Every structure is written in C-alpha cells, then in structure tokens.
Amino acid sequence: MSTALPSYDQAVALVAACAAQLRRLQPSAERVTLGQAAGRVLAQPLFADRDQPPFARSTRDGFACRASEASAHLPLTVVGSTHAGEAPAGPLQPGAAWEIMTGAPVPPGADTVAMIEHVEVVEGQLRLLPPRTLKPGENIVAQGAQARQGDSLLRAGTVLKPAQIALAAACGCAALEVFVRPRVAILATGDELVPVESSPTPGQIRNSNGPMLAALVAVAGGEPWLLPAAADNAQALDAALAQAAEADLLLISGGVSAGKFDLVEPALARAGARFHFTGVRIQPGKPLVFGELPVKNARNLQNENRTKCFFGLPGNPVSSAVTFLLFAAPVLTALAGSLELLPRFALALLASATDKHVKPGLTRFLPAFCDFGATANQLPEVALVPWHGSGDLAALARANCFLVVPEEAHRLETGAIVRILLF
Ligand code: AMP
Ligand code: MG
C-alpha cells in the first residue's frame, strides 16, 4: 500500500473543495409541471401565495364555540353548520355553538372546537360532557399559523420530493422553475465488454457498469449520457474522451488499475487532465482517479475556469458503485445546484463481527443489508452480505448499504454501533 495515496478523509476533502467551487456556478433553469418535478432541484424560492391555512381551520368534526362557555358546561344553542369547502360563517353570538367539520373555517367569535365525541346534543342544545373542559385554540389551526402570505417556504436548491410538490400545489404553482440537470457522460472501458443486447463469447462480459452508473446518476439528480464502451487502446480512448467533451461531468469505468491495459490515466493526461488524486486508501475502490479536464463547450454551466471534473472509477462493479456514491455523487449534486448533501450515512447495530482486517490503513466499505424495520427506540440492525470480492455483482444486488470499517479498525464487534453508507 502506497502511503503517498490520500486517506479516505483526505480524498473527501479534495472532492469537497471542488464541489464547493462548482456550487458557486449557477446552472441554467427550465420550467416543468408538478408531474415532472419529482427529484428535480428548485431554481427559485417558493413563496406562499396566501396565508396557510387561509382561514382558522377546524382540525376536528364537532362544534365551534367559546371555551369559557363550554368549560362552564352551559347549554349552547346550535345555530348553524359548516362543512369543508363552505365559506366561513358569520360571527358567533354568545351562548351559541356552530356545527363544524374537519377542514372547515371556524366562525369568528368561536375560539375552540368541541369534538363530537365529547358533547351531547339534546333538542338543539349542546353541552360539553363534564368533567371535560376546553382551552382557547383547541382543535383549531389559526389563520397563517403555518405560513404568512409572501413567506419564503422553500429555498432555491431544494430537491423536490412529494412534500415539496404538495406544498407547491397548495401555493397554486402548477409548474416550477428547476435547474437543468447536469449531463453526465458515462464511458465504460474494456476489451472484454459487450453491450447488454449482445451474447458474450467466452472471455467477454456484458457492460453492466454503464446501466448501473446511469441509474446512480439519475437518482443523484443528473442526466445520464451513456457512451458506447471504449476498447483498451489509446486511439479508442482518445476518441471517446473527445466525444464526451460536451458533458458537465465525466465518469469513466475501468482501466485505472496498474495493469498493462489500464490506459485511462494516460489518455486523460493527453486530453490535458489535472489530477487531484490517482488512488485512495479505501477498499474496494483504491485505484479511483479524480481530476479536471479543460472544457471546450460546457452546455449547462457558466464555468469561467473552463474545467470539468472527471472520475476514473475502478471497473469492478462493487468498486464502481462505492466510489460513485462516496465521491462522484457529491460533485454531481453540486453541479445540479442542489443543497442536498451526499453521501448519506446512518448509524446501525452490527449483527455479527467483521473478519479480522488483514490490511489496516484502508477504510473499507463492505456490502451489507440493513433492516430498517427496527423495533421502537432501537437502531436498525445491519448484517454483512456474503460476497466474493469487488466483482460480486450479485452480492451488491442483495445489499442496501455498505458497512464502513474505519481505517484504524482491525475488526468491528457484534453489537457495535457502526456507520453505514446508504445506497
Ligand atoms: P478494470 O478496472 O478495467 O481492471 O476492470 C476490472 C474488472 O471489472 C474487469 O476485469 C471486469 O471483470 C470488470 N468490469 C470492468 N468494466 C466493467 C463493466 N463496464 N461492466 C461490468 N464489469 C466490468
Ligand atoms: Mg479494464
């Protein structure tokens, strides 16, 4: 193991510094309907078009009345009824109550709602059943309690998920300005690769990293641009890198180890690359390469420095997935104008101890399955997925996270609270 390689933490810091630079650049924006908005990044703040709720709103089926009168258990005359969708009723006179449904406007003068289960109504006379009492404000959400007209409810950079889309709808926005997704070129390299539609001959394998990386890019907010796989020779790689020139971010898989046919680094160097690191002390994924290429015509960004980030991801599928999640995803979210911070980690209880680590000094990311259906007040439990090294795609597909084994740890014990990388 070369000690010249950055540690995991050092590599994270190098990538974060580049991501911070990219965050300063404003991606261009486009307008999408709410139906197309899931996962997109808001380009402008969302403002409340009116108070939320727009009127004092009953949260219960029952009777609007005065808390002081109801709590004294006086008989109150039921003088009217409002259900959700009806205009607010007129002022409520003393000694009166107003039947009201959940979501309906509370008439002025009433300061509480008695739940239907807590009253008796005899011949139009309502009484709160003793010993119950009511406080002013009970079962009512005041007008504007959640937001005032003109309040900023969502910041630019917010990733639109179901709740944010619902909020936009509540504010009358049928369409939203969102950032144009960064275009991410995905270039698989390797003489052994054939497209998924082809029948591999002995010695060949299907290019599974291409579709996997495309899916990872889409989930992280990018627009995947799958290039045809490139062969392991200088000419093919130079041509493929030239083809990827218009991308906002470039992901290359394979060809970054130290083998005779690992020709990606020299090809990047010929294209004018500046390397931030060529290897990280992690496992899997140690040969990961990260740097910047000069940009000829970036589509989306006003990039004064005219560079674009690239990652040379190791070809083994587990290595490709881990290195994407740890390093490429945060750069992608920065390019996307997103405030979301990736990668996502969580804490869990380790179901059974890890093997003794033979090569300390590497931060390890082991495929694992976390049972998030934990019982109340307990951390979810995570178990390692048996695997046969970083080429074990089937094991990767059985995992829903990676167990993080810190570089100084030789072994993590059963029952330890551990960090997991979610994916
Ligand atoms: P490399 O990083 O180029 O040395 O690739 C290491 C190994 O990863 C190869 O021998 C393949 O088994 C596998 N591999 C490389 N590229 C891909 C790919 N695009 N899809 C699936 N497996 C790949
Ligand atoms: Mg290769």
Side-chain angles (χ1 to χ4, degrees):
M1 182 200 70
S2 163
T3 48
L5 294 184
S7 67
Y8 166 62
D9 288 340
Q10 288 166 334
V12 165
L14 286 165
V15 169
C18 286
Q21 297 281 340
L22 295 172
R23 258 176 223 292
R24 298 214 199 102
L25 309 170
Q26 180 84 332
S28 44
E30 61 182 335
R31 205 164 173 77
V32 295
T33 63
L34 290 189
Q36 304 163 320
R40 302 300 301 269
V41 180
L42 199 58
Q44 288 175 352
L46 176 77
F47 295 103
D49 68 326
R50 57 179 185 160
D51 289 350
Q52 290 290 349
F55 44 80
R57 176 182 179 274
S58 176
T59 62
R60 303 285 182 190
D61 292 325
F63 294 85
C65 52
R66 288 179 168 77
S68 56
E69 294 176 349
S71 299
H73 304 108
L74 301 173
L76 303 174
T77 310
V78 180
V79 294
S81 174
T82 305
H83 69 262
E86 286 184 319
L92 193 73
Q93 301 306 320
W98 193 279
E99 191 183 22
I100 195 163
M101 314 303 153
T102 301
V106 177
D111 62 3
T112 192
V113 171
M115 285 169 64
I116 195 155
E117 297 87 340
H118 298 163
V119 299
E120 64 172 14
V121 184
V122 180
E123 292 172 0
Q125 296 292 302
L126 170 107
R127 210 165 60 97
L128 183 67
L129 293 171
R132 274 184 202 283
T133 56
L134 280 165
K135 292 194 209 70
E138 220 166 310
N139 303 323
I140 296 174
V141 183
Q143 177 174 345
Q146 294 152 7
R148 283 287 176 197
Q149 182 178 14
D151 279 357
S152 169
L153 299 178
L154 297 174
R155 288 194 290 164
T158 301
V159 177
L160 296 165
K161 294 179 185 169
Q164 292 77 21
I165 290 170
L167 190 59
C171 292
C173 297
L176 291 168
E177 288 286 310
V178 296
F179 289 132
V180 172
R181 279 179 295 213
R183 193 178 195 196
V184 184
I186 298 164
L187 173 64
T189 71
D191 285 341
E192 72 277 33
L193 302 179
V194 295
V196 59
E197 301 79 15
S198 306
S199 301
T201 57
Q204 293 184 321
I205 59 167
R206 296 193 180 93
N207 171 13
S208 57
N209 284 352
M212 176 179 74
L213 290 168
L216 285 165
V217 163
V219 168
E223 181 195 323
W225 176 23
L226 260 176
L227 298 171
D232 289 319
N233 65 68
Q235 212 184 354
L237 290 171
D238 289 347
L241 291 185
Q243 208 193 336
E246 279 186 36
D248 299 309
L249 174 66
L250 170 60
L251 303 178
I252 305 162
S253 107
V256 288
S257 306
K260 194 169 159 189
F261 292 99
D262 291 323
L263 304 172
V264 165
E265 251 181 77
L268 286 164
R270 283 194 297 280
R274 192 157 67 89
F275 294 94
H276 295 305
F277 54 75
T278 55
V280 188
R281 282 171 12 226
I282 58 171
Q283 189 187 51
K286 191 168 148 233
L288 174 71
V289 170
F290 171 51
E292 287 170 67
L293 276 168
V295 167
K296 298 198 176 78
N297 39 356
R299 197 180 58 124
N300 187 17
L301 297 167
Q302 307 306 310
N303 184 342
E304 323 96 61
N305 298 325
R306 316 297 284 164
T307 66
K308 106 171 124 234
C309 290
F310 65 80
F311 288 90
L313 311 173
N316 274 311
V318 183
S319 314
S320 277
V322 165
T323 49
F324 175 89
L325 292 168
L326 291 174
F327 300 106
V331 169
L332 180 47
T333 51
L335 280 168
S338 162
L339 297 170
E340 198 123 314
L341 293 179
L342 292 178
R344 282 197 199 98
F345 292 97
L347 293 179
L349 283 181
L350 186 58
S352 59
T354 60
D355 288 342
K356 192 160 166 50
H357 190 193
V358 280
K359 277 195 272 176
L362 297 173
T363 304
R364 289 186 302 159
F365 299 88
L366 307 177
F369 186 84
C370 185
D371 180 1
F372 290 102
T375 43
N377 304 324
Q378 272 189 4
L379 285 175
E381 199 173 65
V382 64
L384 290 172
V385 168
W387 67 317
H388 294 96
S390 53
D392 194 342
L393 188 49
L396 182 66
R398 285 195 297 273
N400 65 357
C401 64
F402 293 91
L403 170 67
V404 185
V405 186
E407 65 173 0
E408 67 284 358
H410 289 268
R411 181 185 158 98
L412 297 176
E413 301 298 337
T414 306
I417 296 177
V418 293
R419 232 153 71 96
I420 55 174
L421 165 67
L422 304 176
F423 92 107

